[in-house]
Amino acid sequence: MMSPVRKMFDGIASRYDFLNHFLSCGQDVLWRRACCRELRRMNPGKRLLDLCGGTGDFAVTYEKFNGKQDVSILGDFSYEMLKGSAGKKTAAKPVQLDAMNMPFADGAFDVVLNGFGMRNLPDANKGLKESARVLSAGGYLQILEFFSPRNAFNKFFYKCLAPLFIPVLGAFFSKREAYEYLVNSVIRFLPVQDFVKLAEENGFELVHVKSCFWGVAYRVLLRKGAAK
C-alpha cells in the first residue's frame, strides 16, 4: 500500500520545482550551489547518488560544478517526482527506491546528496545508517535540510509566519495539505545539533554545519569514517 506521504508527493510533483523556488525566493537554488562548490573542494570520487532527489535539481547542480560522473543515480520513493527529471540536464538515472533499504551494494557511491528529504523518512536513524552503508570509506554525505527550530528567529518563522503564508500559497498553486505537512514536518524534526550527533553515532565525521538564511535551513557536510 502506498504511504500517505508518498501519495502526497506524487500529487504535487508537477508544481514542486516552481513552489520550491517561489517559497524560498530562489534561495534553494543558491543553497544547492553552495553545497556543490564545497564538495568540489573535497575532490570526491565520481560515483553520485542524489537521494530523496525528487525531480533531480541537486543532481543537475552537482554535475554542473563537478562534471560528468562515472555513476549517477537519482533516487526517490515518488515515481511522479522522478518523472519530473525528464528533460533536465543530468545524466542521473532515475530509480524508485526506499531510502532506508536501498538496492545498492555496500560502498557503491562516493557522494550522497540529500536535499530536504531526511525529515520525510519514517526513521532518520535508519536513513543515516543506510546512507553510510552505500558510501565508500571517506565518502561524503551532503545534507541540505530544514531542521527543528531552536533560536528565536527560527521559532518565530516556523511557528508564527510559516503556518500563515506557506499553506495559503500552497493551496493557491497546488495542495494546501501538502504545505501544511511541510511546516509540521520541520517542527517535528530533529534540531541540527541532535541530527549531527545521530550521524556521528552512525559512523560519520562532521566536516561542517553552515546556516542558510539565519538558520531557516542548514547545510550539513558529513564524511564517512573508516571502519573500526
Side-chain angles (χ1 to χ4, degrees):
M1 180 182 295
M2 184 183 295
S3 74
V5 176
R6 178 177 154 193
K7 185 176 180 180
M8 180 197 71
F9 277 102
D10 277 351
I12 65 172
S14 63
R15 305 293 284 172
Y16 182 77
D17 286 347
F18 166 75
L19 276 167
N20 268 0
H21 305 331
F22 180 75
L23 290 172
S24 72
C25 300
Q27 291 299 301
D28 66 308
V29 175
L30 300 180
W31 299 339
R32 289 188 190 90
R33 288 177 180 172
C35 289
C36 295
R37 279 196 299 266
E38 289 166 348
L39 281 164
R40 181 173 60 188
R41 289 196 289 270
M42 303 299 166
N43 194 30
K46 291 287 188 177
R47 299 176 299 166
L48 173 71
L49 170 62
D50 183 2
L51 183 60
C52 305
T55 62
D57 276 358
F58 220 161
V60 170
T61 306
Y62 187 85
E63 291 169 8
K64 187 180 297 183
F65 281 90
N66 294 279
K68 183 179 179 182
Q69 303 296 294
D70 295 336
V71 176
S72 188
I73 300 292
L74 171 62
D76 200 275
F77 69 165
S78 167
Y79 178 71
E80 293 300 321
M81 293 287 280
L82 290 171
K83 281 172 60 178
S85 68
K88 292 191 175 181
K89 292 182 179 179
T90 175
K93 177 183 177 182
V95 176
Q96 190 174 14
L97 53 74
D98 177 356
M100 298 186 299
N101 185 24
M102 290 187 271
F104 306 121
D106 295 358
F109 301 99
D110 303 305
V111 175
V112 174
L113 308 173
N114 193 313
F116 309 114
M118 190 61 72
R119 75 180 191 285
N120 294 317
L121 301 183
D123 189 330
N125 184 61
K126 287 184 179 179
L128 282 164
K129 192 180 299 293
E130 185 68 349
S131 291
R133 183 187 69 79
V134 300
L135 269 172
S136 59
Y140 292 93
L141 172 61
Q142 174 68 73
I143 303 289
L144 175 59
E145 188 58 275
F146 303 121
F147 291 94
S148 181
R150 283 298 180 267
N151 65 46
F153 174 77
N154 290 351
K155 288 180 180 179
F156 177 70
F157 180 82
Y158 280 115
K159 295 185 178 181
C160 298
L161 291 181
L164 291 176
F165 76 86
I166 289 180
V168 171
L169 290 171
F172 184 78
F173 291 108
S174 185
K175 295 184 178 182
R176 182 185 183 95
E177 60 271 20
Y179 289 86
E180 288 176 341
Y181 164 84
L182 184 154
V183 175
N184 291 331
S185 69
V186 175
I187 293 170
R188 290 194 302 262
F189 195 46
L190 295 166
V192 66
Q193 297 88 346
D194 292 355
F195 179 81
V196 168
K197 182 179 178 181
L198 189 63
E200 290 172 338
E201 291 171 359
N202 280 286
F204 288 103
E205 301 165 353
L206 177 65
V207 178
H208 60 236
V209 174
K210 296 194 177 180
S211 170
C212 303
F213 199 72
W214 297 292
V216 167
Y218 286 90
R219 309 194 313 264
V220 181
L221 183 59
L222 303 160
R223 181 190 296 113
K224 181 180 175 180
K228 294 180 180 180

